[in-house]
Every structure is written in structure tokens, then in C-alpha cells.
Amino acid sequence: MRFKRGVAVTAIALTSVLSVVGCAKDSGSSNNSGGNGAAQGCQTVDKPAAATGGSTSSATGATIDGSKLKVGLAFDIGGRGDASFNDSAAAGLDKAIADMGVKKENTKELTATDQESEDSKQTRLRQLASEGRNPVVSVGFAYSEATAAIAPQFPNTQFAVVDGFIPDAPKNVTFLGFAEHEGSFLVGVIAALKSKSCTIGFVGGVNVPLIQKFQAGFEQGVKTVAPDAKVVTKYITEAGDLTGFTDAPKGQVAAKGLIDQGADVVYHAAGASGKGVFAAAKEANVMAIGVDSDQYNQKTVAEYKDVIISSMLKRVDVAVYDYIAAVAGNDLANLPKVFDLKVDGVGYSTSGGKIDATTKEWVESYKQQIINGDIKVSDTPNGS
């Protein structure tokens, strides 16, 4: 299964969703707290109608026997314990062990290092495949080229790359892509409803198209609810420097810069650097939104949980689990082409009780509109 990441959801101009600007009013959200600026909150459009439509779903509930599989998992930098992207992938493997009979002793995990070469990535994948791991799942777009190079050497091994893409990939390579912009739209709605200053921040780890999808959806969600809101953005590093995903001190500096501009809600898509974003939010007594995993419940960032109001759930765990199940059941053709809201591939968390019933009603309405196709979420930041 091959697809071009980012084209599964058609991008449209934001003007179509901002046509309701004329009916702007105060959101009246009862849970606005923290931060800089006036206590008025953002001026919002009318509350959308209640959600109507079918529910989301992921993989079939059919019983799958994975006991014969020997799964290899190649983590991105940060590895298991990053409280974000890698941990979500690890959760998918853990669920396969618990529910599918995959034997833990038959699995192996290896982790990338900062600024490593393509040869290092290939060596890691070759090691897993030569040891008989099948399937071999790589976490992160940086593995795309290495996987395409190694896969032909092991034609009987199935390979997958989370977030990966490369044209004309070998037939035994599957790319697992997500509609990050759809999930980010939902937390953008939350940010607009919770902000007092109506200045809202986004911290990206590395300035690449994948992370720009998070920014694009977030900005659109904010602006759909509060057209006059200001969204300020900072990327930790530029393309080619992946340390933006692992440098918490730089994440803290980036977030502080946005808070100094008046942001009282900051959303990050920065991997382990997000810990620094949370630190800056706590120091300034403003609110933060996590990413990938439900970061309110992540032990490695537990000291900051009081400022985490939600997280954009990128269900890498669902994709990894569904992929392992598809390999076990010899059913790769039926995997989703993109893990979006329709298949529970992205979403948002409510842990911690900071999302009140009224806010959830707003979010659920917009979620269903996206699922129904009434709202098209852009995967490119406005003006890019």
C-alpha cells in the first residue's frame, strides 16, 4: 500500500470556514484560566449545532493470532520514554503483545541517535531483519529512504514506516500516514475557547512539511472559532536538524518567546522538546496542549500535568497495532490509506477534567463536521 502523505484530505482556503465572522460573540467558557492579558476571552462565532452522524471506528474486532510474529521496532530519536511519538508506537506494540499473543521475548526495539547517517539507519533495519524480525516497523519519516534501500534485500519481510513516504517503494513496504491537521484543528478549537488573551502559541520541533500539518490544522481550528485570534509560531530548528525533537531547553526558550508575546495557550508538536514547552507554561502560569500521546498521563512530564489542558492524539498506537494485525492476518490491503478522524487515527484527550461539557460539545460538533466532509482541513499553514 503506497500513498502520498498529505493529499488524502483536500486543502481549501480558510475563507470558507470564516464566513461566519459576522456572528462573532463571547464564548463564555467557564474554564478560561491562567495567562497574560484580559479576562474577556476570545470573541467567537456562534456555537455550532450538536454533532450528528456516524461514529468513528478503527480496525475490525476479529480475533488475530500474532503468536508467530517476531516484531522489530526501530524508534526515532528519543525512543521509548519520550512521552510522545515513540511512546505511542510502543503502546501499539504493547497492545499487540497483550491482545494478539505476540511474544515479548520475540520482539526487539532499537533507537536512533541524534544526527545519525543514513548508513546507521540502514544498519539498524538490516540488523532487525537479519535476526528474523517480521514485520519491522520504523517510527518516523527519517526512515523512509533507509527502509526503501533495505527492503529489497529481505523480500519475505514486511516493513512499515510511520509517517514515511517515498515514490515507487518496494512492494513489501507500507507507509502509515495520519491526518495530523484534523486532530490539530480540534485542539485549536479548545485553545480558542480557553484563551483569555486571544493570543495563542504553536511550537514546532523541526520546520518540515509534516510538522507544518500540525500548525495548519491548529491555526484553522483557532480561526474557525475565533476569527480575530492571533496565532504566534516558533520552530525550534530548521529542516535537516532533528535535534528540535529532543532538546527540551530549546523548547522552553521557544515557548517562553511566544508567552512573552502574550500567548496564554501553547500547543507543541515537538516530541521530547515538548517537556520544555510545558516547563515554560508552568513557569508563566499559562496553559499547554500536548501532542501524540495523552501527555497529562505521561509519567515523564507528570510535574507539568496541572498546565496540560488537552493533547492532540496522533494514534500511532492504533496504526502500529492495526499494521501488526494486518501482517498476522495477511490482510495489508485493507489497512486505512490514512489514519484520520474517521478511523480514530487522530483525536484529542480530556484527561484532567479541564475540558468542560460546553467545550466538548463545540469540539465534537466540529469533529463530526470534518468526518462528514462539511469542513475540509488544510494541511498547509495559511500563506505557505
Side-chain angles (χ1 to χ4, degrees):
M1 176 184 70
R2 299 192 293 274
F3 63 91
K4 189 168 184 178
R5 190 178 69 246
V7 300
V9 180
T10 305
I12 65 168
L14 292 181
T15 52
S16 63
V17 297
L18 300 182
S19 61
V20 290
V21 168
C23 59
K25 66 176 186 179
D26 191 335
S27 69
S29 176
S30 61
N31 272 8
N32 280 1
S33 62
N36 311 326
Q40 299 290 331
C42 290
Q43 295 295 303
T44 72
V45 299
D46 284 329
K47 182 181 177 182
T52 58
S55 61
T56 59
S57 62
S58 53
T60 176
T63 301
I64 299 293
D65 179 11
S67 61
K68 296 181 180 179
L69 297 182
K70 297 182 178 181
V71 182
L73 192 57
F75 285 121
D76 203 349
I77 52 177
R80 185 186 280 265
D82 73 341
S84 186
F85 187 62
N86 289 298
D87 270 356
S88 188
L93 175 58
D94 292 345
K95 181 174 172 59
I97 292 170
D99 296 354
M100 208 185 301
V102 174
K103 297 177 182 177
K104 186 174 183 178
E105 61 269 25
N106 286 339
T107 68
K108 187 163 189 175
E109 301 173 3
L110 299 175
T111 302
T113 58
D114 288 350
Q115 303 298 317
E116 68 179 13
S117 67
E118 280 296 308
D119 284 345
S120 295
K121 292 182 178 64
Q122 290 186 24
T123 298
R124 184 175 302 112
L125 298 179
R126 186 181 295 109
Q127 176 184 341
L128 291 171
S130 64
E131 290 176 352
R133 312 296 168 183
N134 185 16
V136 173
V137 182
S138 301
V139 185
F141 64 87
Y143 280 104
S144 297
E145 297 283 351
T147 302
I150 293 300
Q153 302 173 23
F154 300 91
N156 296 321
T157 299
Q158 292 295 330
F159 293 83
V161 187
V162 176
D163 283 340
F165 177 75
I166 188 170
D168 302 319
K171 292 182 178 180
N172 57 332
V173 176
T174 299
F175 294 116
L176 305 173
F178 298 81
E180 296 93 349
H181 46 311
E182 291 184 357
S184 295
F185 182 104
L186 301 185
V187 295
V189 172
I190 292 171
L193 294 174
K194 294 298 181 182
S195 176
K196 287 182 179 181
S197 67
C198 221
T199 297
I200 295 162
F202 172 80
V203 176
V206 181
N207 192 1
V208 292
L210 173 63
I211 306 303
Q212 290 170 9
K213 290 173 68 178
F214 292 83
Q215 177 191 349
F218 183 66
E219 289 177 340
Q220 187 175 340
V222 169
K223 293 286 190 176
T224 297
V225 171
D228 294 329
K230 180 180 180 181
V231 180
V232 289
T233 298
K234 176 66 177 178
Y235 282 91
I236 298 172
T237 60
E238 292 301 311
D241 182 0
L242 298 182
T243 62
F245 293 129
T246 60
D247 196 327
K250 286 185 179 178
Q252 185 168 359
V253 171
K256 185 180 185 302
L258 302 182
I259 293 167
D260 287 346
Q261 294 178 57
D264 64 350
V265 184
V266 182
Y267 169 46
H268 86 87
S273 298
K275 186 172 183 178
V277 175
F278 296 147
K282 184 165 185 174
E283 181 180 7
N285 191 32
V286 303
M287 295 169 281
I289 297 174
V291 77
D292 297 334
S293 302
D294 183 352
Q295 296 200 286
Y296 180 89
N297 290 320
Q298 289 285 344
K299 293 180 179 179
T300 56
V301 292
E303 63 189 294
Y304 307 116
K305 66 191 304 181
D306 55 323
V307 301
I308 301 174
I309 59 172
S310 182
S311 295
M312 195 288 280
L313 303 179
K314 179 173 176 178
R315 300 301 304 273
V316 178
D317 57 332
V318 171
V320 169
Y321 179 87
D322 286 0
Y323 173 73
I324 293 172
V327 173
N330 193 27
D331 193 27
L332 287 171
N334 287 322
L335 272 177
K337 291 185 177 180
V338 62
F339 286 85
D340 57 12
L341 284 175
K342 290 181 181 179
V343 298
D344 196 30
V346 292
Y348 69 104
S349 68
T350 59
S351 299
K354 299 180 179 66
I355 305 300
D356 57 281
T358 298
T359 300
K360 188 172 181 180
E361 289 170 2
W362 281 72
V363 178
E364 287 297 316
S365 177
Y366 284 119
K367 176 181 176 180
Q368 194 60 53
Q369 289 182 59
I370 295 169
I371 291 171
N372 293 346
D374 299 325
I375 291 178
K376 304 293 185 183
V377 184
S378 175
D379 60 4
T380 304
N382 190 30
S384 297

